[in-house]
Amino acid sequence: MSTEPPTDAVPIQLNGQVQDPREEYAQDAKNTDFIVISVYNVLSLAQEDELERLSVNVLEDLGDNNFLCEYTSSDLSPLRALNFVRQVDVYRNKYKIPAALQATSLETANTTATMITTGSSMTTTSLMTNEADTLHSLDQVTVDIFVHETVGNEGFETLKEVIAEASGVQVDDMEFAPGQVRLSVEVDKLAAIAKDDRIRVIEEVLEPQLMSLDNNETGPVVTGPVVTGPVVTGPVVTGPVVTGPVVTGPVVPSPTEKSGTSYRGKDQIITVTDTGFDLGHRDNCHPAFAGRVFSLRAVARKGETDDPHGHGTHVSGILLGSHFSTTKGLIGGIAPEAHLIVQSLFKKDAQPFSLPVDVLDILAVPYDQGSRIFSNSWGVGSKGGIQPEYGNIPGKIDNFIRQHPEVIICFAAGNDNLEAIGQPTVGLHAGSKNVLTVGATGSKDSPDQMYLKSSMGPTHEKRLKPDVVAPGMDIYAALSRRVARFYGDTATSQDMPGIKWWSTSGTSQATPLVAGCAAVLRRVLQERRCTNPPGALLKAIIINGADRLPNVDINAQGYGRVNLDASIAITVRPPARSSETTTDTPLPASSGSLIGGALKQDEEHEFVLSPPNRAASGSHFKITMVYNDIGHRQIQNNLNLFVTDVATGEMTPGNSRSLTDPDEQNNVEQIVLSHIPQGGLKVRVHAQKILAKQDQDYVLAWSEFTPLPGVVY
C-alpha cells in the first residue's frame, strides 16, 4: 500500500505543535510503539472492536477525532486500509515538547516571534515576546517528564539513566513520582530527552501561588508578639453563619434545625492544604477550632505544621470556625461541626507555598484518613495574562476524583483578572475538569458584583470555569497566633483576650465558603439515607442551587453565586437511581436528584418529571448534569443532556447548544426553562462519545427557582 498521505489528510495540532502529513508522513512505525489515528467520525463500538482486533490500544482522545494509540506492530497499512480511518501517523517527538518550551533561549524566542509576525500587527509580536519573557527568562528550566500510561515500572526505572545521559543531570539530582521525572535542565537538551519512545510529554513546572491578597491596599500593618501560650477555650456562639459584616444575601442559611436537619456539617472531615495551622498543635489552638482538629501533617517543613503566614488558618476558619461575637459582629465558619485536616506546605517567607512533586500525595493521604472534601485556595495562575494549558497535573487530579467518586475537590479560580481585564485567566489547577472551581464576588458598591480581581473563564480548552462564585471580599476569620506582622483589619472578642480574627480578600476566601457548603450538604444527604454521596452529586446540587447574578458575564460567574438554602431544598428526598427510574415512574419536577449508572457508547437513559400541582408565580425550572471525565486535556467521554416538553415534543439541549451541535467541551451541562410545562418533562442523558473500553456514570440535580431581579434567561 502507498505510504503517500491521503488526499483528504488534515494537519494534527498537539501541545501547540502542528504536523501536516502532506509534508511528512511515516512509512512505518518501526521506531515507536505509539501512533496517532485520525478517523472521520465518532468511533462506533464495532469500529473500536476492529481496532482492538488489529492490536490497537486506544489511550487518549486528542480532539477533532484524533486518537493517541499504542501499536506494537511496525506495519501501518492494515490501519490505513480501514474505511473509517482518515490517516495514521506516528506520535512524533515534536509533540512531546510544547510550543512554549520549544525555543532554545530567550533570544531565539524573541527572534522567532519577530519573524513570524513580520508584516502583521505589533500586538501579536508583543504578545509572543511577553510569553517568551514569562516562560524563559533563563536558558535553564524545571520540567516534569511524563511517560505513556502503558510504560511499566521496569521501563520507568531504566528510563531514568537515559534521561540522565541526555540531560547531563545526575539521577540523584532528579525527583520522582509514578510515571513522572522532575529535573532542572538546559532548554536545548529537551529535544534529546524527547527521543525516547517511552516519553509522553515534557511540561514546564510552574510555581503555585496563594489566591488571596496581602491587604496592603486596604489596611494598616499590624504587629505584635507571636503567641505561644496555652490553649484558650470558650463557648461556641451559635447564630447565622456569617463570614464578616460585608457578606450579605442568601448565601448560607442559619445553622439551626430546619426540617429536622442540622446545617452544621457534623462529622465531615475537610482537608485544607495550605500554609499551616495556627501554632501547629491540635489541642493548643485558636479557640475557633477547639476540639475539631482531626490531624496536622507537615509536608514542606519536616515536623513543622504551624502557620507563620496566616493564610491556612484563615481559610480553615471560613470553613469550620466556631462562632464568636466580636468587635466586627458574629464571625464563624460555614460548617462549625466538621473536623479539620491541615497539610502544611509553607516552606519559607520567600516561598510560602511549595507543592510536592506528586500532587496525589496531598490527596491520597487525607483520603485514607477519611476526608472526602478538599478545599484548595491556591494554584498556578495566569502570569502576565498568559493562561496555562491543561496538563498532566490537572489530569492526575481529575483521575483521582474519577477513581474516588465520593470525593469533591474545590479550587480557587485565581485573582488574575487585572492581568488581562475581561480575558480568560482561570489557572492551571482550577482548570481541572472534575473539580469545583470557585470565583469571588463582592465590591465596595454591591455584593452582587464580581470581586474585581477574580479570574475569568473559560479555560484554555474553552470549558466554562469558574463553576460558581461566592463572597470573597473582606472576609473575617481566625488569625494564626504564629503571625507577627500582617496587613488588614482585626476583630477581637471580650470572651477571648489576646485572640484575633482578621479580614482579607480573594478567591482563596470564596473557596472555603463553598467547600463548607459541600460539607453541610454531604451531612444532609447522609441524613436522607444517602450514606456515601458522590462528590459529583454535591457539585451538581451546589451548581443547580446557585443564583445567576444580574449584569455579570457568565465567564466571570459561571453558573452563579452559591445559595445553600436553594441547594438544601433539592435534597428534600433521597437521590433517585437510574436503575430504578424509567419513563413509567415519574419524579417530581419541583426538586430532586438522580445518580445515574454507567453508559457505554450510544447508550442513554430517560425518565419523566411530573409538574407541580401549583407553580409559584415567575418560577423557572433548572436541571444540571455533572460527571467525572478521564484526566486528559480534551473531553474523553462526552455525555449530553436533553429535556423534552412531553406535550409538544419540543426538545432543549444542555448549555444552550443546538440539537445538531451538542456540547463536546464541558462535563457540566445545564438547562433552564422559563416554566415547567403542564404535561411534564422527559429527561434524556445520551452517551455521544465514550473512549474505547470505557463507560461513564453521571448525576443530575433539578429544581424550581425564581431568578434574582434583573436576570433574564
Side-chain angles (χ1 to χ4, degrees), residues 405-408 434 525 530 532-544 570 575-578 592-599 605 607 623-628 639-641 667-670 683-685 696-702:
E406 65 275 30
V407 161
I408 182 169
N434 300 337
L525 284 166
C530 182
N532 199 21
L537 181 63
L538 298 175
K539 181 177 175 180
I541 291 172
I542 289 170
I543 289 174
N544 203 80
I570 297 172
R577 301 274 177 173
S578 62
S593 59
L594 179 141
I595 299 174
L599 299 177
H605 177 67
F607 63 99
I623 184 169
T624 303
M625 176 183 70
V626 173
Y627 63 93
N628 293 327
L639 302 183
N640 290 128
L641 174 66
N667 57 327
V668 177
E669 291 193 14
Q670 188 174 92
V683 179
R684 178 165 64 97
V685 176
Q696 184 63 58
D697 55 11
Y698 62 94
V699 299
L700 297 167
W702 62 87

Side-chain angles (χ1 to χ4, degrees), residues 211 374 376 378 397-398 401 408-414 425-440 454-459 463-470 507 510-511 514-515 539 542-543 555-560 562 667-668:
M211 297 304 184
F374 294 74
N376 296 310
W378 51 268
I397 296 170
D398 280 340
I401 296 172
I408 182 169
I409 300 178
C410 300
F411 265 101
T425 50
V426 164
L428 181 71
H429 301 83
S432 303
K433 292 181 283 188
N434 300 337
V435 306
L436 182 61
T437 304
V438 183
S454 184
S455 291
M456 290 183 62
T459 69
R463 281 185 281 274
L464 179 61
K465 292 281 183 175
D467 295 295
V468 292
V469 293
T507 57
T511 301
V514 177
K539 181 177 175 180
I542 289 170
I543 289 174
N555 287 314
Q557 66 171 309
Y559 292 100
V562 169
N667 57 327
V668 177

Side-chain angles (χ1 to χ4, degrees), residues 382 385 413-426 450-457 555-556:
S382 295
N415 303 321
D416 293 326
N417 185 47
L418 296 186
E419 297 277 341
I421 297 176
Q423 300 301 310
T425 50
V426 164
M450 289 299 299
Y451 175 63
L452 186 61
K453 296 186 178 183
S454 184
S455 291
M456 290 183 62
N555 287 314

Side-chain angles (χ1 to χ4, degrees), residues 2 11 132 163 189 253 255 384 390 534 561 580 605 614 663 694:
S2 172
I163 293 174
K189 299 289 182 64
Y390 186 104
R561 184 179 59 196
E580 303 168 355
H605 177 67
R614 178 182 296 178
D663 191 329
Q694 300 290 331

Side-chain angles (χ1 to χ4, degrees), residues 242-258:
V242 295
T243 54
V246 301
V247 179
T248 60
V251 178
V252 292
S254 301
T256 56
E257 295 294 327
K258 244 185 184 184

Side-chain angles (χ1 to χ4, degrees), residues 3-21:
T3 57
E4 293 297 316
T7 56
D8 59 355
V10 294
I12 303 295
Q13 182 169 344
L14 185 59
N15 296 326
Q17 304 285 9
V18 179
Q19 175 66 31
D20 193 335

